[in-house]
Amino acid sequence: MARVNDNYLKLAAGYLFPEISRRMDVFTSANPDADVIKLGIGDVVLPLGDAVRTAMHDAIDEMATADGFRGYGPSEGYDFLREAIAENDFGSRGVKIDPSEIYASDGSKCDSANIQEIFADDCSLAVSDPVYPVYVDTNVMAGRTGQPDEGGRYAGITYLPCTEESGFMPALPEEPVDLVYLCSPNNPTGTVAPKEELAKWVEWARANEAIILFDAAYERFITEDHLPHSIYEIDGARECAIEFRSFSKTAGFTGIRCAYIVIPEELKGRDSNREQVPVSTLWSRRTNTKFNGISYPVQRGAEAIYSAEGAKEVQANIDYYMANATLIKEGLSKAGFTTFGGVNAPYVWLKTPDGQDSWQFFDNLLSQANVVGTPGSGFGACGEGYFRLSAFGIREKVEEAIERIAKGF
Ligand SMILES: *Cc1c(COP(=O)(O)O)cnc(C)c1O
């Protein structure tokens, strides 16, 4: 019989979202008439804008003509998309990224999961706690960790606590670390690392020859001008950071699938002879071996968000979600909750009242207010005692949910 990959068996059993669904199912079968409002999973709800739709339609029509038909495209993405990204997402903020340093993909989940493959098996890694579980689980699967302890923390990973006292910013690791995953604006805490904070990380990474894996999936939700949207706004980041960006939350592409990764030319790792190797050559090789690119209509749809009309439509959706975030944050504050985030990110991170643990609060909120959110402890030990509410909802539902919570339960 074929041996399985034992590393998969280390993965802590109850993945967060299935457990949330299970508890919801139990509740709704016992209370079939309850109108349950979901502010849990981070998925967008607003329809695609016209610019994206038209661009995708046109691309399909083009593919149905003899001249316009396209088969396999470049694995890294078409030049038209890479150029639009370089100019609009970076050039417009004074950051120089060459289109050749951009690799389009079908998602940041996949990119942030796959990136570890091009690094050595014995690379050490650090993650913040709470954390987006993909960074951890993919390294567990790859065998870079031992077993989890009772709190779900794996041996071999350096966890960087993000607490209220530190403004939910992770401290620099005290031990040597090769790879560190940072996410800003942060899922789940909704907080954003200011420039000084990122500068500290870049300085540390360069001094320690470490690489920062920077997940900026939520950068479009930043509303305060002084905050950085890209790690490359920090001098020296080109030598020590990879950035992940996604059209998922930005442009409602969670179902369409388009994202990209930036690997600057200057970014180097070392081989076993201690010779320097450009990281991009490995990623490019990986991409060309394991991936055949995303579809042409999707790339045309993604390109369309940079047109004048597309940009307006995307911004309108983001404004809608951020108005939800404000409603949630202000409503909860008025009701006496302590909240974080929700200003530059579509997530509000609240402190559970009366010392309830995250799952107790989940159960109470569900059974008494019929509102579903995400228990902070599902994102890591330091998330215990916290709870995430997502601003990705229909306005009326969000208002209703907050009204119910404010009434007390
Ligand atoms: C939603 C999300 C992404 C985007 O994932 P896609 O695969 O591009 O849909 C990336 N990182 C974080 C932290 C997210 O929450």
Side-chain angles (χ1 to χ4, degrees):
M1 209 175 275
R3 286 252 349 249
V4 298
N5 181 347
D6 281 342
N7 293 317
Y8 278 62
L9 309 179
K10 294 176 194 163
L11 292 167
Y15 184 62
L16 179 61
F17 293 107
E19 178 60 17
I20 291 175
S21 301
R22 193 191 64 77
R23 293 192 191 209
M24 258 176 63
D25 290 346
V26 170
F27 177 79
T28 46
S29 5
N31 304 276
D33 297 332
D35 170 25
V36 176
I37 301 178
K38 296 182 215 166
L39 297 181
I41 297 180
D43 196 359
V44 292
V45 296
L46 295 175
L48 291 175
D50 266 351
V52 167
R53 183 183 61 165
T54 307
M56 290 183 73
H57 272 178
D58 290 351
I60 294 272
D61 290 344
E62 198 186 331
M63 292 275 269
T65 63
D67 286 347
F69 177 75
R70 296 175 187 234
Y72 291 123
S75 299
E76 299 90 347
Y78 283 103
D79 286 343
F80 66 78
L81 179 60
R82 300 167 90 192
E83 283 162 11
I85 290 169
E87 184 184 328
N88 293 283
D89 284 353
F90 298 99
S92 66
R93 295 191 62 82
V95 175
K96 227 178 132 17
I97 295 291
D98 193 82
S100 66
E101 297 171 319
I102 292 164
Y103 303 79
S105 78
D106 60 346
S108 282
K109 183 187 224 178
C110 328
D111 287 339
S112 62
N114 292 331
I115 194 70
Q116 46 79 27
E117 265 186 56
I118 62 168
F119 295 102
D121 289 346
D122 58 358
C123 268
S124 52
L125 60 128
V127 297
S128 50
D129 177 0
V131 65
Y132 181 55
V134 175
Y135 316 148
V136 172
D137 290 359
T138 51
N139 279 287
V140 174
M141 292 169 175
R144 284 196 189 85
T145 74
Q147 297 288 344
D149 65 15
E150 275 153 33
R153 282 187 166 188
Y154 293 90
I157 293 184
T158 298
Y159 289 87
L160 308 170
C162 297
T163 60
E164 196 177 332
E165 295 72 45
S166 60
F168 299 100
M169 291 296 139
L172 298 174
E174 283 163 12
E175 59 239 53
V177 164
D178 298 309
L179 301 172
V180 59
Y181 292 82
L182 297 178
C183 178
S184 176
N186 192 265
N187 176 10
T189 67
T191 48
V192 183
K195 278 205 175 125
E196 315 79 75
E197 195 66 29
L198 292 185
K200 198 176 79 180
W201 278 100
V202 166
E203 191 190 334
W204 167 86
R206 295 183 69 190
N208 292 278
E209 293 201 353
I211 291 181
I212 299 169
L213 303 169
F214 189 73
D215 187 341
Y218 295 98
E219 59 79 30
R220 282 288 179 108
F221 294 85
I222 292 174
T223 56
E224 292 177 306
D225 285 345
H226 63 281
L227 294 168
H229 287 239
S230 166
I231 193 153
Y232 304 117
E233 291 178 39
I234 310 302
D235 284 342
R238 287 180 60 87
E239 282 102 64
C240 66
I242 290 174
E243 184 162 302
F244 304 96
R245 292 274 189 107
S246 175
F247 293 82
S248 281
K249 317 296 166 31
T250 300
F253 270 47
T254 50
I256 295 202
R257 313 303 303 145
C258 190
Y260 64 89
I261 177 171
V262 181
I263 307 186
E265 197 188 298
E266 293 91 325
L267 184 72
K268 306 270 171 42
R270 285 193 193 275
D271 67 14
S272 49
N273 298 319
R274 300 208 45 80
E275 297 292 334
Q276 293 197 7
V277 184
V279 171
S280 60
T281 56
L282 276 74
W283 185 254
S284 175
R285 188 69 173 81
R286 184 200 176 277
T287 302
N288 280 283
T289 298
K290 296 197 172 187
F291 191 51
N292 263 328
I294 29 177
S295 77
Y296 175 67
V298 164
Q299 294 189 59
R300 283 293 183 201
E303 179 195 27
I305 78 159
Y306 302 113
S307 67
E309 189 198 347
K312 225 189 286 163
E313 288 168 354
V314 159
Q315 192 57 48
N317 286 5
I318 288 177
D319 291 346
Y320 180 97
Y321 293 130
M322 290 313 291
N324 285 347
T326 305
L327 274 171
I328 297 172
K329 196 174 171 72
E330 288 180 355
L332 290 175
S333 301
K334 258 193 223 141
F337 287 86
T338 305
T339 65
F340 307 93
V343 177
N344 296 291
Y347 296 117
V348 175
W349 188 239
L350 67 97
K351 205 166 170 169
T352 58
D354 315 321
Q356 296 177 55
D357 73 31
S358 300
W359 278 111
Q360 278 169 343
F361 184 75
F362 175 92
D363 288 334
N364 288 337
L365 189 66
L366 174 58
S367 62
Q368 295 166 39
N370 303 164
V371 174
V372 175
T374 313
S377 56
F379 297 99
C382 293
E384 183 58 271
Y386 292 89
F387 200 79
R388 190 191 77 177
L389 288 178
S390 155
F392 294 124
I394 296 301
R395 177 71 41 80
E396 293 70 30
K397 295 281 177 194
V398 171
E399 281 168 347
E400 165 81 23
I402 296 307
E403 242 168 68
R404 290 188 202 162
I405 295 174
K407 268 199 218 127
F409 60 89

